[in-house]
Amino acid sequence: MRCMEIALIADSHLSERAPECVSNWGVAARTVAAADPDLTIHLGDITLDGCEQPDELQFARGLLQAWPTPIVCTPGNHDMGTAGGEERLSRTALSRYTAAFGADRWCLVAGGWTLIGINAQLFGTGSTEERAQLEWLRGHARRLRRGDRVALFLHRPLLRPIGDASMRIGRYVHAESARWLLDGPLRGALRLVVSGHTHQAMDFVANGVRHVWVPSSGFVISDALQGPVGQKAVGIGWLSLSAGDWEYMHLTPPGAVKHELTGLSFYRELVSHT
């Protein structure tokens, strides 16, 4: 059976205020267009700060509409707010996100794989939206058949890898929710968890599940501001799924620039006004 080829992009931080990120987005789009995968999955933080500046949602929506393949998205904290049990969930921001980019959760079935995209920001909120997402996940788990494989896509990672003692909050999915996702109704079928958020590349296996961090397409964050855990790189991910196996690799598209956060125009402007 033919592989399903999926391009992965994360933390693009699109905004007119961030031309460097927009430029790297264009480079990524040309690379993806040349390779012609079946699908692209955006792992969140589509915008620079669409939660606080809703016009960025519409700016990014225009760029996504011009993307060369079908594309589905999962929301990030810059798109709809942090929430995650750490800040109050903004239903207004969530509604603006879905109006711009579509549903905040989705499920696709192809070649023995069930691809599930979820809203990481809802976990830990105790909200009706979180409960609805949990019930939605239970429903899809009940429909799984023997031998089906699940790949889960979301903005925040689920597991803290060995050696990462930083960021006790803010980096990972709410701990109790992460345990439910790994050990709950998806257990046994879950093979792969793909996330963004960290602006670092990482690939490890824990208890039979492979965890992949896709780095930002836009920029890295200096060690002075963010301790290194994985590889600090820019680029996209590439996932090949077949009924019997899967492969992942990180790609740096030709022409992509490894911008560092403090050197970006929007950051310099922000610092100059503080």
Side-chain angles (χ1 to χ4, degrees):
M1 182 178 293
R2 188 182 75 86
C3 286
M4 183 178 188
E5 303 290 345
I6 302 172
L8 302 163
I9 193 161
D11 301 272
S12 52
H13 293 289
L14 300 171
S15 170
E16 291 180 297
R17 296 182 294 132
E20 302 92 341
C21 295
V22 175
S23 177
N24 271 2
W25 173 267
V27 168
R30 290 191 290 275
T31 296
V32 169
D36 193 26
D38 301 288
L39 178 70
T40 299
I41 298 174
H42 198 305
L43 295 160
D45 280 1
I46 305 164
T47 63
L48 184 62
D49 194 11
C51 180
E52 297 296 330
Q53 301 199 34
D55 60 301
E56 292 186 351
L57 298 171
Q58 299 309 314
F59 176 79
R61 179 184 180 183
L63 292 174
L64 263 69
Q65 287 175 334
W67 190 257
T69 74
I71 186 167
V72 291
C73 304
T74 66
N77 51 296
H78 283 256
D79 306 317
M80 57 156 284
T82 296
E86 297 148 16
E87 295 180 4
R88 185 176 179 179
L89 171 65
S90 169
R91 291 183 169 89
T92 299
L94 175 56
S95 178
R96 288 196 298 249
Y97 169 88
T98 57
F101 303 119
D104 64 338
R105 58 181 184 262
W106 43 264
C107 180
L108 304 170
V109 178
W113 282 89
T114 299
L115 314 181
I116 299 177
I118 55 176
N119 185 343
Q121 308 310 120
L122 294 181
F123 293 114
T125 62
S127 62
T128 56
E129 290 83 358
E130 179 186 14
R131 290 191 292 274
Q133 180 166 253
L134 293 174
E135 187 54 40
W136 179 85
L137 281 164
R138 289 188 187 98
H140 282 290
R142 286 192 292 267
R143 288 190 283 274
L144 293 172
R145 300 169 299 177
R146 183 186 298 272
D148 283 352
R149 298 181 175 197
V150 171
L152 192 64
F153 301 87
L154 72 171
H155 184 57
R156 294 189 186 198
L158 293 186
L159 279 186
R160 183 181 297 274
I162 295 172
D164 181 14
S166 62
M167 290 188 68
R168 303 314 303 178
I169 62 171
R171 175 170 285 173
Y172 300 96
V173 167
H174 181 265
E176 183 178 340
S177 302
R179 284 192 295 271
W180 186 88
L181 288 165
L182 290 168
D183 298 329
L186 295 177
R187 184 175 181 175
L190 185 62
R191 296 289 187 272
L192 179 64
V193 177
V194 184
S195 59
H197 188 49
T198 65
H199 288 242
Q200 300 187 44
M202 175 72 83
D203 188 347
F204 65 97
V205 176
N207 298 319
V209 177
R210 188 171 177 181
H211 296 259
V212 169
W213 297 4
V214 178
S216 168
S217 66
F219 58 88
V220 298
I221 303 172
S222 71
D223 291 354
L225 296 178
Q226 179 206 57
V229 180
Q231 177 191 3
K232 293 196 173 181
V234 297
I236 61 175
W238 197 271
L239 183 61
S240 300
L241 298 176
S242 67
D245 202 359
W246 70 97
E247 295 182 1
Y248 170 79
M249 61 180 174
H250 165 248
L251 301 173
T252 300
V257 178
K258 188 179 177 180
H259 298 291
E260 195 281 312
L261 172 62
T262 59
L264 296 179
S265 52
F266 76 86
Y267 187 89
R268 294 194 302 269
E269 182 177 350
L270 177 66
V271 170
S272 70
H273 287 86
T274 58

